[in-house]
Amino acid sequence: GGGGVEGAMGGVSGSWEDDDKKDVTYVAKISLREEDNLHREGYFRDVEMQSLAGYIATRFNRCNPPKPVAFLEAFVVELEEREGRPVCGVERYIRGPYRKHNSNFGYVSEEERNTPQAFSHFSWHISNGEVLVVDLQGVSDVYTDPQVHSVSGKGYGRGNLGMPGIRKFLETHRCNRICHYLRLPRCNNQFQAPSPICRPIPATGTIPLTQMMHHNISILTYDPRALENKPLTSTLPLLPGSPDRIATDTEKTKCDCIVC
């Protein structure tokens, strides 16, 4: 698993009225680790990761993939009437069969669906090789509780394994038709791995209607390192590129969708 308060979690559910006055069920997650409840930072790191993953998902969806993806909106609630005023992570409850597609250390589901695997690959490329979003799980393509690996290994909770976690994904990833549709570069070009990572697989599962996309996908213009070990804000910082790595024209991928 992944996440700042990963592993030892207890869950309760309740119903609240949202802004539209509809009865909605939410899930509250409370860590069973005493240290998490004492320092509380892990809860905010989880919300940070889910927000970052959601931002990358909007960029993925602009490329008009066969199946768009989404991440649940997460937030932290303080239970004022309980002793010690504990906090918990809260998100909307989603009904349906829950599936885990990959992990933060190279696990890939036997189903090996195209969309989640392509999204993880996309997150690595669109962030200019700064972060990788893995541990994708949820109902259909509505995901929750992702893990973010950063090159530095800092921030994003104890599930951030840094380069070892990133390399493990790249070693087990097999490029599929959606990766090719997005024209994502082969991962082993950078790492010169002895095994053929990002190797193509037969045209199975969800595939695009068109073979390739034609227009440019720009590298994300935020610096993930600006988020590390800092309180979560309502919006992600938009900067003119990572200070050490500014994308060149040759580093941009191309797509041929009409929408994005």
Side-chain angles (χ1 to χ4, degrees):
V5 289
E6 58 168 317
M9 293 290 292
V12 295
S13 63
S15 295
W16 291 270
E17 286 189 348
D18 63 11
D19 293 337
D20 297 324
K21 303 299 182 183
K22 295 178 181 178
D23 194 40
V24 179
T25 300
Y26 289 85
V27 175
K29 300 177 181 179
I30 301 177
S31 176
L32 301 180
R33 291 191 179 94
E34 185 176 351
E35 60 187 271
D36 290 332
N37 296 311
L38 180 64
H39 300 292
R40 299 185 172 189
E41 182 181 353
Y43 291 97
F44 292 94
R45 296 288 76 80
D46 282 354
V47 173
E48 178 185 66
M49 285 188 286
Q50 206 135 317
S51 298
L52 175 58
Y55 179 49
I56 294 176
T58 62
R59 296 297 296 269
F60 181 81
N61 294 339
R62 287 177 192 173
C63 297
N64 199 26
K67 293 184 178 179
V69 304
F71 286 83
L72 291 176
E73 181 180 5
F75 46 96
V76 178
V77 170
E78 184 179 54
L79 306 177
E80 296 181 351
E81 298 181 359
R82 290 197 180 186
E83 182 180 356
R85 299 169 69 95
V87 299
C88 59
V90 176
E91 63 188 27
R92 181 171 56 85
Y93 173 71
I94 46 176
R95 292 176 173 83
Y98 193 93
R99 298 284 186 271
K100 188 178 182 72
H101 304 291
N102 58 33
S103 74
N104 68 334
F105 200 61
Y107 163 81
V108 180
S109 167
E110 291 182 358
E111 296 178 353
E112 197 171 0
R113 288 190 51 228
N114 288 349
T115 297
Q117 295 303 108
F119 175 80
S120 288
H121 187 179
F122 178 87
S123 72
W124 171 247
H125 178 65
I126 203 70
S127 67
N128 204 13
E130 295 286 352
V131 296
L132 173 71
V133 181
V134 289
D135 208 20
L136 300 184
Q137 54 198 303
V139 176
S140 186
D141 288 302
V142 179
Y143 306 141
T144 181
D145 197 25
Q147 177 60 55
V148 175
H149 292 321
S150 64
V151 172
S152 67
K154 296 179 180 179
Y156 307 117
R158 62 171 60 89
N160 177 7
L161 303 180
M163 285 307 303
I166 292 171
R167 287 180 182 274
K168 201 66 177 177
F169 169 81
L170 299 177
E171 289 172 359
T172 57
H173 178 66
R174 302 199 301 173
C175 274
N176 56 55
R177 291 289 292 277
I178 298 177
C179 296
H180 296 162
Y181 170 68
L182 297 171
R183 291 195 173 182
L184 297 176
R186 291 170 58 88
C187 307
N188 58 335
N189 289 346
Q190 177 180 356
F191 290 94
Q192 298 180 348
S195 59
I197 60 178
C198 277
R199 56 198 183 280
I201 60 175
T204 58
T206 300
I207 60 175
L209 291 176
T210 55
Q211 181 64 30
M212 289 287 184
M213 297 192 296
H214 288 308
H215 96 68
N216 288 335
I217 300 175
S218 299
I219 300 298
L220 281 184
T221 56
Y222 74 92
D223 181 3
R225 287 169 292 186
L227 296 177
E228 293 173 358
N229 298 318
K230 293 185 179 181
L232 180 71
T233 57
S234 59
T235 58
L236 297 173
L238 295 177
L239 303 176
S242 173
D244 297 325
R245 302 183 61 182
I246 299 177
T248 64
D249 289 339
T250 58
E251 288 179 303
K252 298 177 181 179
T253 52
K254 296 181 178 180
C255 68
D256 349 307
C257 66
I258 299 174
V259 177
C260 70

